[in-house]
Amino acid sequence: KAVSEADFLNKVKEVADNPNVNGCFVQLPLPKQLKHIDVANLIPPEKDIDGFSEPNIARLIADNKKFHLLLVGDGHEYNSVQAYIEDQALDNVTLHPAVDQKLYHQLLWCVDVGLITLARSHMTHNFPGKLLGYMEAGLPILGSVNARNDVIELFNEHDAGMISINGDEAQFYRDAETLLGDKKLRARMGDNARKLITSYFSVSSVVKEILAA
């Protein structure tokens, strides 16, 4: 249905400011007259389930020029992310369209950390497929995922990464800064991540688990 930009934004603000509402996310696609980033910016950072409001993005990338963030893929947020990068003149963020598997795996050997994020709205265990690629390349994992997700315990207890619960932005940024500032830590965690493939995800380990059941 046709809706004016002002009416829509006012309604979003009304819902987002409601003290009885704990979280909000923007369901896409939006009508052509509306910009996703304008809508997302009306959601307080602590209620931003997608983590896409400018305050949440800015906390991660705006104040620290020591790292470079590489985003690869053609997700539904691509145009919005690209517009934000250009609007903020961010020179430490590169957004690249999806690439073939061969080039993707080559890219993994050129970066220092593998990043995963999962919406806090997930209610069950979720293992992102990209994790196996990160582990094979010997990358430490920096993550922000939903509560009750097994990857938190798996990677944190095996010293293979630093994964926090989505919504605990302070812990996520501390983890990012820790990995950024310690090359030896990255190397150790990356080596442990690679070892996890043999321990938990190889054919032999799966067979042993099945036989032991």
Side-chain angles (χ1 to χ4, degrees):
K1 297 181 178 180
V3 60
S4 73
E5 180 178 11
D7 289 344
F8 187 86
L9 295 179
N10 285 336
K11 190 63 177 179
V12 170
K13 181 171 175 55
E14 176 186 332
V15 173
D17 290 344
N18 187 331
N20 295 319
V21 174
N22 297 316
C24 305
F25 71 95
V26 183
Q27 179 66 53
L28 299 178
L30 291 171
K32 293 182 179 180
Q33 70 270 28
L34 300 171
K35 294 182 179 179
H36 181 206
I37 194 66
D38 292 336
V39 178
N41 280 340
L42 293 174
I43 301 173
E46 66 274 11
K47 295 184 179 182
D48 180 18
I49 292 176
D50 284 333
F52 192 74
S53 66
E54 289 183 355
N56 276 340
I57 295 176
R59 289 174 185 172
L60 175 62
I61 58 181
D63 296 329
N64 198 330
K65 300 297 183 180
K66 292 182 179 180
F67 71 86
H68 194 102
L69 184 63
L70 173 63
L71 304 173
V72 179
D74 292 323
H76 65 274
E77 303 286 5
Y78 186 94
N79 291 334
S80 296
V81 174
Q82 184 177 47
Y84 180 75
I85 292 172
E86 294 173 354
D87 181 65
Q88 299 297 312
L90 299 176
D91 57 7
N92 62 335
V93 182
T94 297
L95 180 63
H96 197 287
V99 298
D100 61 43
Q101 284 296 306
K102 181 178 180 180
L103 179 54
Y104 175 73
H105 287 293
Q106 290 174 342
L107 287 174
L108 292 182
W109 292 91
C110 299
V111 299
D112 297 307
V113 176
L115 176 66
I116 63 167
T117 59
L118 292 173
R120 73 185 74 175
S121 57
H122 287 318
M123 300 302 294
T124 59
H125 170 66
N126 189 305
F127 192 96
K130 68 179 69 175
L131 269 176
L132 291 178
Y134 292 161
M135 296 162 69
E136 183 182 11
L139 295 176
I141 310 302
L142 173 65
S144 174
V145 304
N146 57 297
R148 298 182 295 278
N149 195 312
D150 293 349
V151 300
I152 300 174
E153 180 178 346
L154 177 65
F155 284 88
N156 290 349
E157 289 195 358
H158 287 84
D159 194 34
M162 306 183 81
I163 300 181
S164 56
I165 296 175
N166 189 317
D168 189 352
E169 287 87 0
Q171 184 61 55
F172 179 78
Y173 302 133
R174 284 195 296 270
D175 292 344
E177 290 179 348
T178 297
L179 285 171
L180 172 66
D182 195 332
K183 185 176 181 179
K184 290 183 178 179
L185 176 66
R186 296 198 303 270
R188 186 183 77 233
M189 287 188 166
D191 186 52
N192 289 337
R194 188 185 289 114
K195 291 176 181 177
L196 275 178
I197 293 182
T198 302
S199 301
Y200 284 86
F201 302 103
S202 67
V203 174
S204 59
S205 65
V206 173
V207 170
K208 289 180 180 178
E209 189 170 327
I210 292 175
L211 293 177

